[in-house]
Amino acid sequence: FPSRLSSSFTLGLFKKMPPFKRVQCWVVILALISGHALGFTCPNRRNPLVASSASASASTSTPRSTKYTIREQRQHQPSPDMTMSMTNESDMSRADFVSNLLMASLVTSLVPGVANGFDGGVGGLGKTRPQTGVVFRDPEAAAEISQSSSGDVNYELISPDGTPVFLSFSAPWPLLKSTVGIAARDVTGGFESTFVQVVELPDGVTSLDNIKPGLLSQSIFASTGKFGMYGAPTDIRIKKIQQQSSDASGTSIYQTSFTTLTPAMIESDRKAYISASVVGNGLFLLVTTTTSARFKKLEGELRKVADSFSAISAPKSNLNLRKS
């Protein structure tokens, strides 16, 4: 492999790779180098001991007539094309097969990730689609929504009582192409993501002043949500860090810490900012999260995403609805 790529090109790729891909590449390279030393042999190559035994048995058997033997040899003698095909097949050993397979894996690991839609649990990897409560005002238009060069995203949604809503935020990660929800995620190997959750307000709750942390916990950490796909999150703590803003969006911001289970059933300590706005009888949330270990380093970036969230009333229309 090193003979096929120049040193500068290889180092350039490795520097741009996230840590886990670098490890994957080194494992593949080491496997390629040591493939022949692992005992792989050609399955079509004859065993010398078996061949010697067969020759000895043939020499001690009763000889047949020379005429019949020549005729039999002519009948069973393979054609030149068949002989070449058999030779080519015998040249492919297990080591060659494993090397080709590992090379394909290495090439795949070098290809940049594509921001396709994920409909799962933590980080988007779930066994079933989580319920986010998002209802698009125009599903066809929502499927074509693109992110601006600065990361801005704009959607038209419908509140549970039918009130049209303009929703927007800005994220440094690519918007996932999906028609069943709104999310952006770091696809380069990080653990950061942000997604929209919509909840119908209970009777008697009409503003953010009446929102209790328990309602946020039930909405975001439910078994049908992104963080509850593999078990209910534990050690949940939620506190309000910014009161309702005075602008038209009327957004409050909360900070939460919790422990959830990954698809590998490993506990993951995470922190998140929750941006909340009320439109009609709907509570619109933007959850921006990462692991607890990375939160302090990325706190400013995550808070910027949380502060960019806005959900306001929009003119009514008679367009189709789609719930996710």
Side-chain angles (χ1 to χ4, degrees):
F1 178 77
S3 63
R4 299 182 184 180
L5 295 176
S6 66
S7 299
S8 59
F9 180 69
T10 304
L11 291 175
L13 284 176
F14 270 65
K15 289 180 179 179
K16 294 181 180 179
M17 288 181 187
F20 80 96
K21 283 199 174 183
R22 294 183 189 176
V23 174
Q24 181 183 0
C25 288
W26 278 118
V27 170
V28 172
I29 292 172
L30 291 176
L32 286 171
I33 295 174
S34 60
H36 290 275
L38 295 177
F40 293 114
T41 57
C42 175
N44 294 327
R45 203 167 290 160
R46 295 181 62 189
N47 189 321
L49 296 177
V50 176
S52 300
S53 176
S55 300
S57 299
S59 63
T60 58
S61 60
T62 305
R64 289 183 291 180
S65 65
T66 304
K67 182 176 180 181
Y68 177 80
T69 303
I70 295 175
R71 184 187 305 133
E72 186 182 51
Q73 290 176 351
R74 288 178 178 176
Q75 290 177 352
H76 295 280
Q77 184 176 3
S79 64
D81 293 339
M82 185 180 297
T83 303
M84 183 177 296
S85 176
M86 293 172 62
T87 302
N88 291 336
E89 289 181 358
S90 65
D91 289 340
M92 174 62 74
S93 66
R94 290 181 188 174
D96 295 330
F97 174 76
V98 172
S99 297
N100 291 339
L101 184 62
L102 292 174
M103 179 62 72
S105 300
L106 177 59
V107 172
T108 303
S109 69
L110 295 176
V111 178
V114 179
N116 293 323
F118 282 77
D119 299 324
V122 180
L125 299 176
K127 53 186 177 180
T128 57
R129 181 173 56 171
Q131 301 299 314
T132 61
V134 172
V135 180
F136 292 112
R137 186 178 183 184
D138 184 351
E140 294 183 0
E144 301 299 326
I145 291 293
S146 59
Q147 194 173 17
S148 71
S149 58
S150 59
D152 296 335
V153 177
N154 297 280
Y155 278 96
E156 297 183 40
L157 305 181
I158 297 293
S159 184
D161 64 354
T163 303
V165 180
F166 278 137
L167 184 144
S168 64
F169 63 92
S170 180
W173 318 296
L175 181 69
L176 302 184
K177 294 297 183 180
S178 174
T179 59
V180 296
I182 304 173
R185 185 173 65 87
D186 182 4
V187 296
T188 63
F191 302 90
E192 294 72 53
S193 65
T194 186
F195 66 92
V196 174
Q197 181 94 30
V198 181
V199 183
E200 184 174 0
L201 292 173
D203 294 338
V205 178
T206 59
S207 69
L208 288 174
D209 295 333
N210 306 123
I211 301 297
K212 303 297 182 182
L215 177 60
L216 298 177
S217 179
Q218 295 172 9
S219 305
I220 298 173
F221 303 113
S223 60
T224 57
K226 281 185 174 289
F227 298 118
M229 304 302 294
Y230 297 92
T234 58
D235 300 327
I236 301 172
R237 295 178 176 84
I238 301 176
K239 64 178 180 180
K240 182 182 286 188
I241 59 175
Q242 177 180 301
Q243 298 294 330
Q244 183 175 351
S245 59
S246 58
D247 57 15
S249 65
T251 302
S252 292
I253 298 179
Y254 301 78
Q255 183 177 319
T256 180
S257 61
F258 57 97
T259 301
T260 188
L261 290 175
T262 68
M265 304 305 290
I266 299 174
E267 288 189 345
S268 173
D269 296 329
R270 302 184 69 87
K271 289 187 176 182
Y273 283 118
I274 304 172
S275 307
S277 290
V278 172
V279 180
N281 72 335
L283 176 62
F284 291 80
L285 306 172
L286 181 72
V287 183
T288 307
T289 179
T290 188
T291 61
S292 296
R294 294 170 61 86
F295 184 82
K296 185 175 182 179
K297 177 182 178 181
L298 301 172
E299 185 174 3
E301 183 178 43
L302 300 175
R303 180 60 188 268
K304 186 176 180 180
V305 175
D307 289 337
S308 70
F309 178 71
S310 173
I312 60 175
S313 298
K316 293 186 176 182
S317 177
N318 294 320
L319 296 176
N320 296 328
L321 307 181
R322 177 177 294 176
K323 190 172 183 178
S324 63

